[in-house]
Amino acid sequence: MPTLRVFTVLRKCRFCRKKPVVHDDEDEVAPAEPDKNDIQNTLRMLNSKLEDLTTCNDLIAKHGAALQRSLSELELIQDAAEASSKIKAVNERATLFRITSNAMINACADYLDLAQTQGRKWQRALQHEREQRIRLEETIELLAKQHNTLERACRGNLTGDNKGNSTSGANEDYSDDDNEFFDAIDESPSFTTTVQLPPSHIKGHRRTDSGASVTSIASSEGAGPKYDDLSSTDDEMSTDRPEQGSVITVKTQGPLPRSGSDHSNLSDASSKDSSKSSQSSSPVQRKGRKRRKKIMEKPNMSLNLWSIMKNCIGKELSKIPMPVNFNEPISMLQRLTEDFEYSEILDRAAQCEDSCEQLAYVSAFTVSSYANTTNRTGKPFNPLLGETYECDRTDDLGWRSIAEQVSHHPPAASLYCESKEWECWQEFTMTSKFRGKYLLIIPQGIAHLKFKKSGNHYTWRKVTSTVHNIIVGKLWVDQSGEMDIYNHRNKDNCHLKYTAYSYFSRDIPRKVTGVVTDVAGTAKYVVSGTWDKKMEAAKILHGGERPSSGGKDKQQIYQTGPPKLMWHRNYPPPGSELMYGMTEMAITLNEIEEGVAPTDSRVRPDQRHMENGLWNEANQVKVQLEEKQRARRRKREADAAAAQQAGKVYEGHKASWFEKKQDPYTKMMIHMYNGKYFECKEQQDWTKCPDIFTT
């Protein structure tokens, strides 16, 4: 009976191959396999037309040169009689040039018509071949399922014979409608991934292919990385790149996990008890206060260009107010805090005993911060100088953070976040380059992450973000470049590569690949995935030695265990497209809370007006706040000039909750948290806060 089922499948496949494919045009049927003679005839016709075009091109060049010589000679003639004969010659050559040009135009039209006709024909043929291939794949899949069913039935009959119950197995009736089929099981599936190792002598943060200011760092024995000057020019970026790293091919052995629930640690010890260490990719839910699930929907307001232009008349470019129509109702400080939406990855990383395994989790955390940029094209509000944002999620997520705008020209924001297991801080600044159709956003600041138990201290710099279709079309964001996550305690390194989107590339869009290496340059883990969906990591089982530097594009094969899910994206709630594309966490960022500082982004009036749908009022208040900030800046400049004349030192603006110090790891001057904010919050002492929101 199982054999009859196989023949049934074959008959179904034969019927599918004979069945015509109907397209949008009801009278048009997909052609059969194209004849080789037709293809050769078409190629000969195209070659003939191309030769005609070449001949016409030569004639045009010849007659054009002759016409140009005649015109030059005509300019030098002074005798009227001789000029008459020359004018006649010029007219003849101009006629020849016109005839040749018309022949060229006709030949081009013939070639274009033939190419378009054959192109449509070949496109239908390729579509037909694609559908045939899909049907063949489905046929092979069905045959594999049938083969697997036959093997199970055979094993069941053999088992029944051994138990003396072979008659019951012989009388079993197989039916296509009554049985459930499963995929054929491969004993040892293999998955191949190609990743690129950084050069063995390069450690720390490096420049990216996209021109990001990520510096090349040569590690020294017992010392941290050395950072180059961030103010490098584009020419320096293009010439001062590190040498090409080694390319390795990774073959993953073993079956993949069949569900996303297996999030256990990657070490062998923890994998023995997966029921205890398995965790969901969603945030750890603790008991906390109830937070809002939605905000007011975005008003359907068209952008009036005249209303913008009339406000620009007679003003300097730096004083032109940008309307809130381009914004989303959160500030840049809140957007930086949103990076900790997947902080549970760091909680799992803190439990790892293996530093390389921990680094694999940290790499997944760095990737997760870009997940929401696929459908978030709104511009966050630029924070005012001295503006702050506090986010206390210790009740449900186990961490709290404070961010402050510490500089306005150039704009810079400092952030500090802490939990029981780890602490993270950074000073974020960036440069932007407008390239006509797209905008490059190049982060400059360095992020720090320290685990309190192990003492592992990691640093990295974000990759370049590209905003496409600035002038015309729908905005979309891409991430590209290279990132190095460096462990300053034991010199482990994770090199990640963000592949830029290309219409002609066969790679998966938004692809991220990387490898974790130890201090000796030995590859330990391979990480791969996409920055908008998920990241996985696989431990290298065999190999791991860095390929020798001799030879070009030398590859080495590594065998890894089955990949484990490190991070999976939490998709926005239903209707998020009407709420600026925000996730559940982003919706809660601007929720009003009591007891926060008077400089907190939640109490910023123009941002609050925009969230409430009052865009006209928001634009008016925004102009007033920005003008007040310019007035404060002019006063500081006047005070600085007066102090200089008096021979005194003028300190300028001083941040309330961050102090400017030298980073012991990067040797750069950055603003670091002074640890006083939450103490002042308990006492409700806000005497340090400037008045920035009063209009």
Side-chain angles (χ1 to χ4, degrees):
M1 296 299 292
T3 305
L4 292 176
R5 293 166 60 201
V6 174
F7 288 129
T8 302
V9 173
L10 290 175
R11 285 197 300 270
K12 291 180 179 179
C13 297
R14 191 179 299 113
F15 173 77
C16 291
R17 294 188 60 181
K18 293 180 180 180
K19 185 177 180 180
V21 181
V22 179
H23 294 270
D24 295 337
D25 190 353
E26 296 179 357
D27 297 333
E28 183 181 0
V29 180
E33 183 177 357
D35 190 3
K36 293 183 179 180
N37 294 329
D38 294 340
I39 296 177
Q40 293 177 357
N41 292 334
T42 303
L43 292 177
R44 281 195 295 268
M45 294 174 63
L46 289 174
N47 288 330
S48 176
K49 295 293 183 183
L50 189 59
E51 291 175 359
D52 294 342
L53 290 174
T54 304
T55 303
C56 293
N57 181 58
D58 296 338
L59 291 174
I60 287 177
K62 178 181 177 181
H63 294 312
L67 180 60
Q68 187 175 5
R69 287 195 303 271
S70 299
L71 291 174
S72 300
E73 293 172 357
L74 183 61
E75 292 178 354
L76 300 176
I77 294 176
Q78 298 179 355
D79 189 4
E82 187 179 357
S84 178
S85 61
K86 286 295 182 180
I87 290 174
K88 183 177 180 181
V90 169
N91 290 332
E92 291 177 354
R93 291 179 177 177
T95 303
L96 290 175
F97 184 79
R98 186 180 69 254
I99 294 173
T100 309
S101 300
N102 291 334
M104 181 71 170
I105 293 173
N106 294 332
C108 289
D110 294 341
Y111 184 86
L112 180 61
D113 183 65
L114 179 61
Q116 289 179 344
T117 303
Q118 297 299 326
R120 288 191 294 268
K121 180 179 178 181
W122 288 348
Q123 186 176 5
R124 291 194 298 269
L126 289 175
Q127 179 65 20
H128 177 71
E129 290 295 329
R130 178 177 178 275
E131 294 172 353
Q132 289 286 77
R133 179 179 59 82
I134 293 175
R135 286 197 293 270
L136 181 59
E137 291 177 355
E138 294 175 352
T139 301
I140 294 175
E141 183 180 0
L142 287 173
L143 288 176
K145 293 178 181 180
Q146 295 290 345
H147 183 268
N148 184 41
T149 304
L150 287 173
E151 288 183 349
R152 292 183 179 182
C154 182
R155 287 196 294 266
N157 288 335
L158 292 176
T159 304
D161 291 339
N162 295 334
K163 294 181 179 180
N165 298 326
S166 59
T167 56
S168 61
N171 294 329
E172 183 178 359
D173 185 15
Y174 292 91
S175 172
D176 289 343
D177 297 332
D178 298 335
N179 289 278
E180 181 180 1
F181 301 102
F182 301 90
D183 293 340
I185 300 175
D186 191 357
E187 295 298 333
S188 59
S190 177
F191 306 92
T192 303
T193 306
T194 300
V195 298
Q196 185 173 345
L197 284 173
S200 57
H201 66 280
I202 298 296
K203 287 286 184 182
H205 311 289
R206 306 163 56 245
R207 294 187 187 276
T208 66
D209 294 337
S210 60
S213 302
V214 182
T215 55
S216 302
I217 302 165
S219 62
S220 58
E221 190 67 27
K226 298 178 181 179
Y227 293 81
D228 296 339
D229 187 7
L230 294 177
S231 60
S232 304
T233 62
D234 290 340
D235 295 336
E236 292 172 348
M237 293 179 184
S238 60
T239 57
D240 186 26
R241 290 181 181 175
E243 60 177 315
Q244 189 72 11
S246 304
V247 178
I248 64 173
T249 300
V250 180
K251 286 191 174 181
T252 303
Q253 299 290 339
L256 283 170
R258 299 188 62 86
S259 66
S261 61
D262 187 8
H263 294 208
S264 60
N265 291 336
L266 304 180
S267 61
D268 296 336
S270 61
S271 62
K272 293 180 181 180
D273 189 8
S274 60
S275 61
K276 294 182 179 181
S277 60
S278 176
Q279 299 182 21
S280 173
S281 62
S282 58
V284 179
Q285 297 296 330
R286 300 179 176 91
K287 291 184 178 179
R289 70 179 184 86
K290 186 177 180 180
R291 301 180 183 271
R292 65 181 184 179
K293 298 294 184 181
K294 61 173 62 176
I295 60 175
M296 182 175 292
E297 295 182 356
K298 180 179 180 180
N300 187 14
M301 297 178 61
S302 60
L303 183 61
N304 189 350
L305 295 178
W306 170 244
S307 64
I308 301 176
M309 294 174 62
K310 69 180 182 180
N311 293 329
C312 302
I313 298 175
K315 292 186 178 181
E316 298 179 7
L317 184 61
S318 60
K319 297 182 179 180
I320 296 176
M322 294 301 295
V324 299
N325 304 58
F326 299 103
N327 290 21
E328 59 180 2
I330 61 174
S331 70
M332 191 63 193
L333 301 178
Q334 293 166 313
R335 196 70 180 264
L336 290 175
T337 307
E338 197 176 348
D339 288 351
F340 296 95
E341 178 176 0
Y342 300 96
S343 60
E344 75 277 359
I345 305 176
L346 299 181
D347 296 336
R348 294 201 298 269
Q351 307 303 322
C352 296
E353 300 293 338
D354 183 6
S355 62
C356 290
E357 177 187 356
Q358 186 180 79
L359 183 51
Y361 275 107
V362 175
S363 67
F365 171 76
T366 63
V367 175
S368 68
S369 62
Y370 299 106
N372 298 329
T373 59
T374 55
N375 55 344
R376 295 271 296 280
T377 56
K379 173 185 172 296
F381 277 77
N382 291 330
L384 302 176
L385 184 61
E387 183 175 340
T388 61
Y389 178 70
E390 169 216 335
C391 187
D392 191 346
R393 301 298 294 266
T394 53
D395 57 346
D396 55 349
L397 300 180
W399 56 265
R400 64 182 184 180
S401 69
I402 175 64
E404 181 179 1
Q405 187 77 1
V406 295
S407 175
H408 185 63
H409 286 288
S414 293
L415 179 142
Y416 176 80
C417 183
E418 65 175 350
S419 75
K420 294 181 179 179
E421 304 290 342
W422 48 267
E423 57 181 346
C424 184
W425 67 93
Q426 66 170 315
E427 180 171 298
F428 180 83
T429 181
M430 65 180 184
T431 60
S432 60
K433 298 179 181 180
F434 183 62
R435 300 303 190 192
K437 293 184 179 180
Y438 59 91
L439 177 68
L440 290 176
I441 301 174
I442 307 171
Q444 302 282 6
I446 295 175
H448 294 254
L449 172 65
K450 184 177 181 180
F451 290 95
K452 299 179 180 179
K453 180 179 179 181
S454 63
N456 290 327
H457 189 121
Y458 301 94
T459 59
W460 68 91
R461 183 180 285 124
K462 294 185 175 183
V463 297
T464 299
S465 300
T466 307
V467 184
H468 294 269
N469 296 339
I470 293 294
I471 303 299
V472 179
K474 183 179 180 181
L475 292 176
W476 61 280
V477 182
D478 191 24
Q479 315 293 340
S480 60
E482 297 181 7
M483 175 191 292
D484 283 286
I485 309 171
Y486 185 72
N487 188 343
H488 292 265
R489 189 182 69 85
N490 58 11
K491 298 180 175 59
D492 291 343
N493 190 71
C494 178
H495 180 74
L496 295 177
K497 182 176 181 180
Y498 290 69
T499 304
Y501 174 80
S502 175
Y503 181 80
F504 302 100
S505 176
R506 295 183 178 180
D507 284 339
I508 301 173
R510 307 182 179 98
K511 181 180 179 181
V512 181
T513 56
V515 61
V516 177
T517 56
D518 59 11
V519 62
T522 305
K524 294 296 185 179
Y525 286 88
V526 173
V527 293
S528 62
T530 58
W531 53 263
D532 66 326
K533 289 184 180 178
K534 63 178 180 179
M535 287 294 292
E536 296 176 338
K539 187 175 183 179
I540 295 178
L541 303 179
H542 302 287
E545 297 296 330
R546 180 181 296 277
S548 61
S549 58
K552 192 174 183 180
D553 296 337
K554 187 172 181 180
Q555 292 188 356
Q556 183 172 350
I557 305 299
Y558 290 83
Q559 286 188 347
T560 68
K564 300 291 184 180
L565 188 63
M566 312 294 286
W567 159 74
H568 192 280
R569 177 185 179 185
N570 298 325
Y571 287 93
S576 63
E577 65 277 0
L578 301 177
M579 298 182 291
Y580 309 90
M582 291 185 176
T583 60
E584 291 186 0
M585 179 178 180
I587 291 174
T588 64
L589 292 177
N590 204 42
E591 187 175 4
I592 297 177
E593 293 188 13
E594 296 181 357
V596 297
T599 55
D600 197 280
S601 299
R602 297 180 181 88
V603 297
R604 179 169 174 169
D606 54 347
Q607 183 174 304
R608 182 62 58 186
H609 282 321
M610 182 185 180
E611 182 181 297
N612 294 334
L614 304 175
W615 284 19
N616 293 330
E617 292 81 352
N619 283 320
Q620 295 174 3
V621 175
K622 184 173 181 291
V623 172
Q624 296 173 3
L625 293 177
E626 291 174 349
E627 187 58 37
K628 182 180 179 180
Q629 180 171 240
R630 295 189 190 100
R632 291 196 301 269
R633 182 186 178 188
R634 289 192 295 268
K635 184 178 183 303
R636 286 195 301 271
E637 292 175 350
D639 294 342
Q644 185 178 4
Q645 292 179 357
K648 299 180 180 179
V649 178
Y650 181 72
E651 294 183 357
H653 174 76
K654 188 176 181 181
S656 301
W657 314 112
F658 291 83
E659 297 179 1
K660 199 166 188 177
K661 299 179 180 179
Q662 185 182 41
D663 190 332
Y665 296 94
T666 64
K667 308 304 180 184
M668 299 168 58
M669 295 300 295
I670 64 171
H671 287 81
M672 303 184 69
Y673 179 54
N674 58 17
K676 298 179 180 179
Y677 176 82
F678 292 101
E679 295 179 2
C680 293
K681 181 184 178 181
E682 292 179 358
Q683 302 172 5
Q684 287 295 297
D685 180 11
W686 304 121
T687 55
K688 294 183 177 181
C689 296
D691 180 17
I692 58 177
F693 292 151
T694 302
T695 57

